[in-house]
Structures are given as structure tokens and as C-alpha cells.
């Protein structure tokens, strides 16, 4: 039961360059699945949409709604591809961990990539950095700096802390939800393997929790995308 | 507690994971944007434009149809008016012709009547003339007879009556 992680330390002799190979594997798998599904969905595009194209357009409209809720469409359309990729990537990543966890040679290889704090924080930091970048690019450096002293100058320290807090909460919220889900799922799996009564007692909660995890996975993907757009819009919008 | 020990080994930050995640996410962002969402967005935009142009075209044709219908109504009205006018004209022409005919008939009748009267007058005059001639010759005759024999007043009367009678018979 005591599964480890396939970690490689100090690649190329660089002290901080560690790889959790299962994360690398799952990142590649998730990216591949998202890419293949998206490209399959975008095949044979027609004026009258059918089948997969309908699904693609529904997702696009859904994400477009998220972007539209947080900023006006003129700047929002810049971030639509980012929001779409975030949403689909996180959604698929969440689902992969809910469907199954795979163990090979005592190491956990198959899990949600989003159940790792490093990965979610990377995504969160990327979003926050992008928000700063576009804030400067779209509104100019002066306005960007001025924003730290609005609405009142003495709020500057709080504003500064807010940036880091945003990064942490954005990343850790996703990680926490997914990680908790997987912990509980593996506990229930452990329970079902303890015997007949354990199986009976564990199977039904397992099913229920799996359903709930799917729900949480969808919600968290939505929340992550939504909040990313909110943070970006704080930086790029004139007034809020 | 057991789960905690399981997953404790999964936690922690690995610089490599972060780099891999960042690289793959950006790669995915680029590829998906280029091969999936880009075309889908283009298609949606194209459809939007198509719908907009179709709506415009429909609006245009509707307006055209409205205009044509209006024109047709106008024309129909015009035609009706014209037809009305023609009928009216025909009616007045008919009335006029009728009056003309009546008038000319009346004139003709008048003319015939007049000529008939003229004829009668002529005839009458002719008859009178003839009578006068007769009377003249008769007077001559009577005078010669009176001269032949003396006549009593009685006889004379008798004679005149006789001759008048003769004249009447002769005619």
C-alpha cells in the first residue's frame, strides 16, 4: 500500500532540478489528450455544425462567457485561447485522476497532474505573470505602477501581498481539491480491499465520491479559469 | 494516517516538474490555438458574418417586395381610374349620340313636314290659278250667252248655277 513516487534527483548535476517522473508523464499524457481531442473536434468544420463541432463550439461559447463576465470583449478576446487551454487542460487533468490511479512497481504513475502543488502553482504563477505582462503592455507602465497606489496610497503593502496571495490561493485551491479527492478515493479503495464487509461498506461511498470528484473536477476547472480571467482583468481593465 | 504517509511522498516541489509543466502548457496553448480553436473560431466568425449578411439580404428583399407590392397597388388603382374614365366617356358619348340622332330625326321630320306643306300650298295655288282661268273663260262665255239672249234675273241665276255646276263637274 505504501506507494512512492518515481523521483529523479539533481538531473545534470543541477541541485534544484528534480523530476517527479509520474508528473512529467501525466503532464505529457494530459497535454496529448487535450491536443488530440481538440484537433479531432476541430476536424471537418462546417457552416452547419454537427457532432464534435457542436461540442467544441459549446465549450468555446462557455469559456467566452467566462471571459466576457470579467472584462470587455475587446481585450477579452486576447485571452480566449489562454482561457480555453487552461479550462480544457485542467478539466482533462482532473478527470484523469478521478477515473483511476495507476501504480507500477510500487510507484504512483497515473494520477491527476493537478493533484501536485508544484504543477498547479506553476499554472497559477504563469497566469499572474501574464496578468502583469499584459497589464503593462495594454495600459503602459505608468498606469500599471499607479494601480498599486489605488484607491489609497497606504494600501500599497497590502496590494503587494495580494499578488503573492493570489498566486498561492489560485494554485493551492486547485491542488487541495484534487489532492483531497484522490486521498479519499485511495482510502476508500484501501477499505474495499480489507474484506467482504469492507468491500460492501467501501464500494458505495467510493462510487458516490467518484461522482462527486467528477463534479469537483469540473467546478475547479471552471473556478481556476474564472479566477485567472478575474486577476488578468484587474490588471488590464481601466477601471474596476 | 496511512494515506498521509502515502501522499506525503508525492508532495513537495520539483523544479523539473514546474519547467516541464510550463513548457508543455505553452506548447499546448500554441498548438491547440493553431490547430483546434483557431479554425473553430474562424468558422464561428464566418458563420456570424454569413448570418448577418443573410439577414441583411432578407431585409433588402423584403423591402423590395414591399416596394413592388406598393407599385402594383398604385398601378391597379391607376388602371381602375382609367377604366372608370373610359366607361364614363363612353356613356357621355352615347348620350350625345342619342341626342344627335334624335335631333337629326326631328330636323328631318321638320323638313319633310315643311316640304309637304309647301307642296300643298303649291298645289292649292295651282288649283286656284286654274280656277281663275276657268272663271275668266266662263265669264266670257256667260257674257256671250247673255248677250245672245235676254235673260231674266231668274234665268241668270239659273245659268250661273248651271255653269258653276258645270265647272265643278269639269274638275
Amino acid at each position: 500500500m505504501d506507494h512512492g513516487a518515481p523521483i529523479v534527483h539533481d538531473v545534470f548535476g543541477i541541485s534544484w532540478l528534480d523530476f517527479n517522473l509520474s508528473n512529467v508523464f501525466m503532464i505529457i499524457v494530459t497535454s496529448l489528450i487535450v491536443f488530440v481531442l481538440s484537433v479531432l473536434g476541430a476536424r471537418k468544420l462546417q457552416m452547419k455544425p454537427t457532432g464534435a463541432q457542436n461540442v467544441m463550439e459549446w465549450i468555446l461559447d462557455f469559456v467566452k462567457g467566462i471571459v466576457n463576465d470579467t472584462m470587455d470583449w475587446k481585450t477579452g478576446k486576447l485571452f480566449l485561447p489562454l482561457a480555453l487551454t487552461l479550462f480544457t487542460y485542467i478539466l482533462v487533468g482532473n478527470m484523469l485522476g478521478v477515473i483511476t490511479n495507476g501504480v507500477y512497481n510500487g510507484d504512483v504513475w497515473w494520477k491527476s497532474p493537478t493533484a501536485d502543488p508544484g504543477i498547479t502553482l506553476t499554472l497559477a504563477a504563469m497566469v499572474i505573470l501574464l496578468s502583469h505582462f499584459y497589464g503593462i503592455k495594454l495600459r503602459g507602465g505608468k498606469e500599471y505602477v499607479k494601480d498599486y497606489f489605488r484607491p489609497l496610497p497606504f494600501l500599497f503593502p497590502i496590494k503587494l501581498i495580494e499578488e503573492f496571495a493570489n498566486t498561492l490561493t489560485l494554485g493551492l485551491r486547485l491542488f487541495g481539491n484534487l489532492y483531497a479527492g484522490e486521498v479519499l478515493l485511495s482510502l476508500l479503495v484501501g477499505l474495499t480491499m480489507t474484506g467482504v464487509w469492507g468491500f460492501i461498506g467501501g464500494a458505495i461511498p467510493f462510487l458516490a465520491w467518484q461522482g462527486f470528484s467528477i463534479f469537483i473536477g469540473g467546478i475547479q476547472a471552471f473556478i481556476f479559469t474564472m479566477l485567472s480571467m478575474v486577476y488578468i482583468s484587474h490588471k488590464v481593465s481601466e477601471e474596476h | 494516517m496511512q494515506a498521509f504517509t502515502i501522499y506525503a511522498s508525492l508532495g513537495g516541489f520539483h523544479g523539473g516538474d514546474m519547467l516541464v509543466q510550463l513548457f508543455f502548457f505553452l506548447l499546448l496553448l500554441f498548438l491547440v490555438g493553431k490547430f483546434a480553436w483557431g479554425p473553430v473560431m474562424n468558422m464561428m466568425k464566418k458563420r456570424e458574418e454569413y448570418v448577418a449578411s443573410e439577414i441583411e439580404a432578407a431585409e433588402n428583399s423584403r423591402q423590395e417586395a414591399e416596394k413592388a407590392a406598393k407599385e402594383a397597388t398604385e398601378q391597379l388603382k391607376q388602371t381602375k381610374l382609367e377604366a372608370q374614365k373610359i366607361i364614363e366617356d363612353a356613356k357621355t358619348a352615347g348620350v350625345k349620340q342619342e341626342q344627335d340622332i334624335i335631333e337629326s330625326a326631328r330636323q328631318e321630320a321638320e323638313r319633310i313636314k315643311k316640304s309637304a306643306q309647301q307642296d300643298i300650298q303649291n298645289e292649292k295655288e295651282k288649283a286656284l290659278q286654274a280656277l281663275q282661268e276657268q272663271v275668266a273663260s266662263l265669264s266670257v262665255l256667260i257674257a256671250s250667252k247673255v248677250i245672245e239672249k235676254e235673260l231674266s234675273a231668274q234665268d241668270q241665276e239659273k245659268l250661273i248655277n248651271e255653269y258653276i255646276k258645270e265647272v265643278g263637274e269639269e274638275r
Side-chain angles (χ1 to χ4, degrees), chain A residues 17-28:
Chain A
L17 198 61
D18 303 338
F19 286 95
N20 182 342
L21 289 181
S22 82
N23 277 346
V24 175
F25 173 65
M26 286 315 294
I27 287 166
I28 294 171

Side-chain angles (χ1 to χ4, degrees), chain B residues 1-16:
Chain B
M1 248 355 258
Q2 190 193 24
F4 213 74
T5 50
I6 297 172
Y7 281 91
S9 56
L10 289 178
F13 298 104
H14 306 288

Side-chain angles (χ1 to χ4, degrees), chain A residues 49-66:
Chain A
T50 50
Q53 196 187 347
N54 270 327
V55 178
M56 292 290 277
E57 292 190 1
W58 182 81
I59 294 172
L60 201 146
D61 272 335
F62 176 70
V63 176
K64 202 170 165 183
I66 297 176

Side-chain angles (χ1 to χ4, degrees), chain A residues 199-213:
Chain A
F199 182 82
I200 293 168
I204 291 166
F206 181 79
L207 272 178
W209 186 251
Q210 207 164 26
F212 191 57
S213 284

Side-chain angles (χ1 to χ4, degrees), chain A residues 69-149:
Chain A
D69 280 346
T70 54
M71 53 189 120
D72 63 357
W73 184 237
K74 223 178 82 190
T75 50
K77 66 172 182 248
L78 259 177
F79 303 108
L80 183 60
L82 174 70
L84 273 169
T85 317
L86 272 177
F87 181 71
T88 49
Y89 179 82
I90 294 172
L91 187 67
V92 169
N94 291 352
M95 290 308 137
L96 288 183
V98 173
I99 294 164
T100 177
N101 278 14
V103 180
Y104 176 75
N105 257 357
D107 287 340
V108 176
W109 278 93
W110 187 282
K111 64 190 193 70
S112 284
T114 44
D116 185 274
I119 287 171
T120 56
L121 280 174
T122 308
L123 288 175
M126 180 193 71
V127 167
I128 299 294
L129 282 176
L130 275 177
S131 79
H132 286 271
F133 172 73
Y134 276 103
I136 296 171
K137 191 183 171 192
L138 294 180
R139 298 179 61 207
K142 208 174 144 194
E143 282 293 307
Y144 168 78
V145 174
K146 263 189 183 171
D147 239 18
Y148 282 100
F149 300 97

